[in-house]
Structures are given as structure tokens and as C-alpha cells.
Amino acid sequence: MSAKLIVAGPCSAETEYQVIDTAKQLASIGITHYRAGVWKPRTSPNTFEGMGQRALPWLLRVKRELGMQVGTEVANREHIALAIDAGVDFVWLGARTVTNPFAVQEIADRLKDMTMDITVYVKNPVIADIALWLGAIERLQNAGVTRLVAVHRGFHSLLPSVYRNAPQWYVPIELKRLRPDITLLCDPSHISGNSDLVEIVANQAAKLNYDGLMVEVHNSPKDALSDKNQQITPEQFAQILAKIRFGSTIDGNETLSVFRAQIDELDKSLFDIIAHRMELSEKIGQYKKANNISVLQFARYEELLSNSLTYAKQHHLNADFVKQIVELIHQESINRQL
């Protein structure tokens, strides 16, 4: 693998042993940047929200004993002050924080007051809003932060998907086009939400020639107190790093690689939507059986076809092509209801 910025470590700093042991294993495979969440802004207050300030000395021990650069997530002005005073080398702003310009500005103002030029990683916002992502970066730059890294961790979507957060690769690609000066990392852990998919997402990022990765690695993922399903072991991470090749774009054409990545993502979304539609068809079939309603409803089919042809015209799609698709989907729906 060519030289890239690789950041790895557990989702959360849970115990001193876990932090040190994970760091030692990562250092042994050449990782120089170590991450661990000290404060964990979770959806529910009834889940593990981090060890807080008392975990900072554990990170500093990693820095002192292993020579690794260490960092943690910050979500407010108090966090940033405590982290910098403790001696961390970098911090990151999570998706929830970046989604809130007021929170970003509060952190930016605190950084400006402290006159500390620390490296700040900016994860993408929860929603696929590139202006919001760029705005967070600009707020930090306006506060005097000169070392900035953008981290693509995927976006929330209401559509069913194999991913925890939809990659929507075109968003980070556009960010890189607009700001080629900003280092861009991929966080395959949060995109996938599943340790089995981390390698697939990391490999896609490598094909798109990202500047590196930020990956959640835990010495014992099954015992993790947060995000256990998406964390991998140091050994698994070493195997992934040995396989992926950054900068090796498809057909040697980076533009073509970008387009194909977008098509792949759209295709996956199409199949997810079709699968969800068939699930609804089966529920409708069950309702019809329970209420002695005929499976085939001609009026409903005519309405469906008419609406689809209207959409086809609006989007400049071939009517015959759309009609064939609708007929196939409708027939499969009927089959599911029989």
C-alpha cells in the first residue's frame, strides 16, 4: 500500500488496558495515528457515553510510550480545552456536531482563543449537504486552524440499505474537487456499520484515491461498549491494509472510476428499494387474503402505469422502457401475493 494517512483505534476509550493493548497492536503494524473516543455523543442517554476526561491520560500514555500521535472527538468548547491542555495531537468533530453550525462556531472560537494550531478532522454532517460540510471547514479556517482533514463517514438515509450510512460517494468527490487542498479520509467503519463490509468500503475509497482511512479497531470488538458490530481487530485491519491499493483507479481512468462508483451505489439503492417494495407487496397480499379481496386489481394497475409514464416523460425516459419495467415489477408483486 502506498503511503497514506491511516488513523485507527477503538470507537471508545473504555479501559486503560484496552486503550494501551489496542495501541500496541496497531503500532506493531506501522500505524502512527491513534484515535479513541473519550466523550461519546450518543443518540440515547441510556447507552455508554464515554469515560470522559479521566480517559485522556490513557491516550497520553500511548503517545509517550509508543510515540503515536493521539486524538479524540470533541463536541463543545469544554472538550476542546481539556483535550488540548492534556496534550492530544488532533481532534475530530463528529457528524452530529458538524450538522450544527452553532456548535462548530463555538469550537472554532475556543480554538482561536487558545491560539493553538492543532490538526482538526471534520467528519461530514449527518445529511448529504456539502455546503454544511464546507461551512464547518471554513469556520475553523477563519478561526486560524491551518491543518484540516475532511472525513467521509457516510450519510443518514431512510431507504433500506446494507450500509449503516449511505456512502453517496459523489458528495466527498465534489468536496475534493472544490477543495483539493483539504486531505480527505474515508471512515469505512461508520459507512458500513458492519465489520464484514469494512474492507469493501475501504477498497472503494482506495480506488477513488482517497488520502487515507480512519478506521475503528478494537482489541476485542465483541466486548466493545459502543459500535461493536463495526469494529475490527488489529489483525483484521492488517490484512485489509495488505490487500488494498490506493491510487489504482479502475481502467487507469480516475474519472471513469468516479462515475462507476456512483452507478454502483445507485444500483444498490435500486435493489434495496425493489426489495422493500416486494415486502410491502407481500403485506398487501396477506391483507387481501384476510379480507377476501382479489389479488389482481386492474384499476390500480392502470393508475400505476399511468403515473409511471408521466414520471418517465418528466425525466425524459423512454416510455417503452419504463412500461417494461413497470410490467415486470407488477408481475413479480402479483406473484408475491398469490
Side-chain angles (χ1 to χ4, degrees), residues 274 277-278 324-334:
I274 291 172
R277 191 189 192 285
M278 292 306 160
Q324 290 180 52
I325 293 175
V326 172
E327 288 174 346
L328 288 169
I329 291 176
H330 183 257
Q331 183 58 57
E332 180 61 20
S333 296
I334 294 297

Side-chain angles (χ1 to χ4, degrees), residues 53-123:
Q53 184 179 357
R54 58 180 161 168
L56 288 172
W58 306 342
L59 289 178
L60 271 295
R61 184 181 164 192
V62 170
K63 179 178 180 178
R64 183 175 63 254
E65 296 182 7
L66 300 174
M68 303 174 83
Q69 291 195 34
V70 297
T72 194
E73 180 176 358
V74 295
N76 57 47
R77 58 186 294 114
E78 180 184 4
H79 291 169
I80 192 71
L82 289 170
I84 290 178
D85 287 344
V88 301
D89 301 289
F90 63 91
V91 296
W92 73 85
L93 276 59
R96 292 179 177 87
T97 303
V98 176
T99 303
N100 182 353
F102 293 104
V104 176
Q105 190 61 54
E106 177 184 309
I107 293 171
D109 290 342
R110 190 69 179 99
L111 283 167
K112 187 175 183 179
D113 291 342
M114 298 184 77
T115 63
M116 293 290 294
D117 190 15
I118 191 171
T119 302
V120 180
Y121 294 60
V122 184
K123 292 201 172 185

